[in-house]
Amino acid sequence: MAILRSSVRTTDGDFVANAAAYATLRAQVAAVRHAALAGGGPKPSAAHLARNKLLPRHRINALLDPDTPFLELGQLAGDGLYDGAAPSAGLITGIGIVAGRPCMVMANDATVKGGTYYPLTIKKQVRAQAVARENALPCIYLVDSGGAFLPLQEDIFPDEQHFGRIFRNIAEMSSLGIKQIAAVMGACTAGGAYIPAMCDETVIVQGNGTIYLGGPQLVQAATGEVVDAQTLGGADVHTRLSGVADHYAHDDLHALTLVRDIVARPGPVAMTAPPLAAVPPLHDPAELPGLIPANPKQPIAAREILARLMDGSELQMYRERYGTSLICGTGAIGGYPVGVLINDGVLFSESAQKAANFIELCSQSDIPLLFLHNISGFMVGVSYEHGGIAKDGAKMVNAVSTARVPKFSMVIGGSYGAGAYAMCGRAFGPRLMAMWPNARTSVMGGEQAATVLALVRREQLARAGQDFTPEQMETFKQPIRDHYLASSSALHAASRLWVDAVVDPADTRAWLTLGLALAAASPKEDTRFGVFRM
Ligand code: COA
């Protein structure tokens, strides 16, 4: 094992300036996080509490084992969207420990438009279910929702990944023996009624919990019957008459105790201890912001990052002297073995081939993969095309796609174009994916996109016999640059659920350790690679 020793001094001017610039990025993330944690705000929260209900984050706290971490997914979803009406997309999702077992918790936030489902709410719940399935985590649905957000029904109801997929996932996970548990703590209307109805076991809270396909207003309109919500579908009805729910709870806390009791029954083993001793890096991860140049055009020193992420700052390099723009190696994080790929320049044929080989080796040894993205793309140019760089890039993408060991992606700098895909971007199934606050992702950089589009425009105008002066070209390019800048940020990506979280560099080891621990306890899958173009 090579020990990565840092050559950076924390008193260097650059280090100090970088760390100071990072504080601004952290403050931006903190502001968005603060808004997400406030949910629907004071007025709906007060109305919620007045109904003898706990707020969703309090429900989660009461559900989880004391002093255990909650790995929240998609906290920043919805930021800047839907006119700001849906913080966290009205749903809190994350992995927490219940009665000693890691579980996926999905809690509607009824203070956000009655807990109704926006398009991103669906996407977030489907994503949480996918994570639960991959890691074989019991699912706990804390239901308090008015169902579909009706004005946006066409983006919620009919399509493959829309509302129906949530119910299908419940059925499929149940069939795989992954426990599905619902606690109905508020409304559960129309399609939403299928969440508790389809779960393996359901708890319902007296007075507040209701389950029905059509609410009192709809019933009156359809049949003329006048009925109140509890008589139509409250806790008494469903635990005594209909059998739609199994357990009657007196209040939220009682419901959460019943859920804990259900999870605590004998079942699959809980988390396993790490196979290796977890040792901290030799260099403090808190120093990472000082190593990220405030000017994104300057490179990030990959070895300096690894020296602060790997256990003992140790990495056994794979082909250290070959394809050096991508560093590959095995080491551990939090005592869990991991194969790391980190960019140290653009991707060339050699680096892509090396990556494909390295992924094969890790797959053979059941070692999870961690992709640390800082990539502007594959090398372009005549000699590289003639040398078959597309073919070598395809080998890497092929290996990334079909490797069945757990994969994790962390965007630490830029992640652009085909490079983002080859480094296991979202479409390639990383179990968890996050970005550092400084990170960016888009099909190409803003300057490159502006230049490409300006050249296309110039050719069009030339065909029409018109000029495109340098001034006109500049006026044309600026809004494209601005748009790319705004839409490539980590916050932008997180608000749309392109990634699961924005993770601070200093918290990265803890975040990855949780992911690796879950993966270590999950069922293994065999890898079968496809045809590699040679
Ligand atoms: N679609 C869109 N908006 C909805 C909605 C829905 N299905 N259900 C509620 N809302 C909105 C309300 O208009 C209100 O918006 P506002 O804050 O801008 O005024 C907000 O959500 C809160 O609703 P409110 O009725 O004031 O809150 P509540 O806590 O008393 O009741 C519900 C919440 C969900 C129980 C109740 O609104 C309800 O029964 N909604 C209809 C549910 C339904 O029939 N859904 C069918 C889906 S297929």
Side-chain angles (χ1 to χ4, degrees):
M1 284 267 191
I3 295 190
L4 299 153
R5 292 200 185 275
S6 175
S7 58
V8 169
R9 278 198 309 267
T10 54
T11 48
D12 287 351
D14 280 355
F15 184 96
V16 174
N18 292 340
Y22 218 84
T24 309
L25 287 166
R26 277 179 162 156
Q28 286 164 359
V29 175
V32 175
R33 186 157 286 151
H34 189 73
L37 293 177
K43 209 170 152 209
S45 298
H48 186 87
L49 292 167
R51 289 172 175 163
N52 194 29
K53 286 169 157 189
L54 293 176
L55 290 167
R57 288 188 181 274
H58 295 163
R59 287 173 175 161
I60 294 173
N61 284 345
L63 173 69
L64 301 185
D65 293 357
D67 302 322
T68 55
F70 181 56
L71 179 65
E72 189 164 346
L73 306 177
Q75 184 185 65
L76 309 183
D79 172 54
L81 297 165
Y82 313 122
D83 297 324
S88 289
L91 178 77
I92 301 163
T93 63
I95 301 162
I97 311 293
V98 179
R101 285 205 165 77
C103 294
M104 177 59 74
V105 182
M106 291 161 260
N108 299 115
D109 186 348
T111 70
V112 176
K113 290 279 178 197
T116 51
Y117 280 72
Y118 285 74
L120 269 176
T121 322
I122 310 258
K123 185 172 176 181
K124 184 164 169 176
Q125 189 142 13
V126 168
R127 168 74 189 146
Q129 290 180 315
V131 174
R133 186 174 182 154
E134 274 185 324
N135 291 286
L137 304 175
C139 292
I140 299 171
Y141 304 84
L142 304 183
V143 188
D144 194 344
S145 163
F149 182 75
L150 291 170
L152 297 180
Q153 73 82 24
E154 66 175 335
D155 301 316
I156 292 163
F157 172 68
D159 209 353
E160 193 182 10
Q161 294 295 325
H162 285 177
F163 223 140
R165 183 55 67 128
I166 295 173
F167 313 136
R168 174 179 161 181
N169 285 340
I170 293 175
E172 288 189 349
M173 282 194 275
S174 176
S175 79
L176 294 170
I178 303 172
K179 246 181 216 174
Q180 305 290 304
I181 305 159
V184 181
M185 309 171 111
C188 198
T189 310
Y194 279 98
I195 291 181
M198 296 206 54
C199 276
D200 302 343
E201 260 176 273
T202 289
V203 177
I204 183 166
V205 178
Q206 73 155 56
N208 281 327
T210 52
I211 307 172
Y212 32 62
L213 297 183
Q217 302 88 341
L218 187 67
V219 169
Q220 187 174 7
T223 68
E225 287 175 294
V226 177
V227 63
D228 66 87
Q230 285 296 317
T231 310
L232 182 62
D236 178 55
V237 168
H238 287 310
T239 53
R240 188 170 56 83
L241 296 178
S242 73
V244 173
D246 310 295
H247 307 280
Y248 182 98
H250 301 293
D251 56 22
D252 281 10
L253 282 177
H254 184 212
L256 297 167
T257 306
L258 292 169
V259 171
R260 287 178 55 82
D261 291 346
I262 295 168
V263 177
R265 283 192 217 127
V269 235
M271 294 172 81
T272 47
L276 307 168
V279 280
L282 297 180
H283 301 282
D284 190 351
E287 292 170 2
L288 285 164
L291 300 161
I292 299 160
N295 175 1
K297 291 203 169 66
Q298 289 174 8
I300 297 176
R303 284 176 173 75
E304 294 286 349
I305 303 296
L306 293 174
R308 288 161 181 84
L309 287 184
M310 306 306 297
D311 283 7
S313 303
E314 283 186 311
L315 193 74
Q316 184 174 40
M317 302 258 191
Y318 172 70
R319 288 203 217 167
E320 186 178 2
R321 291 145 53 83
Y322 183 85
T324 53
S325 66
L326 182 74
I327 298 174
C328 301
T330 43
I333 294 179
Y336 293 94
V338 66
V340 180
L341 300 92
I342 182 170
N343 304 106
D344 203 15
V346 293
L347 283 161
F348 291 90
S349 281
E350 294 80 6
S351 25
Q353 288 178 30
K354 174 168 102 172
N357 269 183
F358 181 68
I359 292 166
E360 284 181 306
L361 287 173
C362 289
S363 300
Q364 289 240 335
S365 309
D366 277 331
I367 299 175
L369 294 164
L370 169 62
F371 296 82
L372 297 168
H373 299 222
N374 182 29
I375 180 67
S376 54
F378 282 89
M379 192 65 198
V380 295
V382 176
S383 64
Y384 298 102
E385 299 294 352
H386 289 190
I389 193 160
K391 172 176 89 173
D392 295 322
K395 287 190 193 83
M396 182 172 173
V397 174
N398 193 335
V400 167
S401 304
T402 50
R404 284 287 165 270
V405 289
K407 297 172 277 189
F408 298 87
S409 264
M410 179 71 68
V411 187
I412 65 167
S415 182
Y416 296 105
Y421 290 169
M423 288 296 288
C424 198
R426 186 63 136 185
F428 296 84
R431 290 217 178 175
L432 293 174
M433 179 163 180
M435 290 171 87
W436 282 358
N438 59 296
R440 294 196 168 270
T441 186
S442 55
V443 67
M444 60 176 76
E447 190 57 46
Q448 291 84 343
T451 305
V452 169
L453 288 170
L455 293 176
V456 170
R457 184 82 186 125
R458 191 174 68 184
E459 282 172 28
Q460 281 175 335
L461 290 169
R463 279 199 299 272
Q466 293 173 28
D467 275 350
F468 199 31
T469 65
E471 295 72 36
Q472 286 170 324
M473 199 180 233
E474 187 50 33
T475 310
F476 178 89
K477 281 164 103 176
Q478 193 52 43
I480 300 170
R481 288 188 197 111
D482 293 344
H483 174 67
Y484 267 68
L485 195 65
S487 62
S488 61
S489 72
L491 283 174
H492 187 91
S495 74
R496 282 139 184 91
L497 294 170
W498 301 341
V499 293
D500 296 307
V502 176
V503 171
D504 196 86
D507 301 330
T508 300
R509 273 177 52 82
W511 197 82
L512 288 171
T513 301
L514 285 170
L516 289 165
L518 292 168
S522 67
K524 300 219 177 322
E525 283 183 70
D526 288 336
T527 294
R528 195 177 152 184
F529 290 112
V531 174
F532 288 102
R533 180 175 294 278
M534 295 300 174

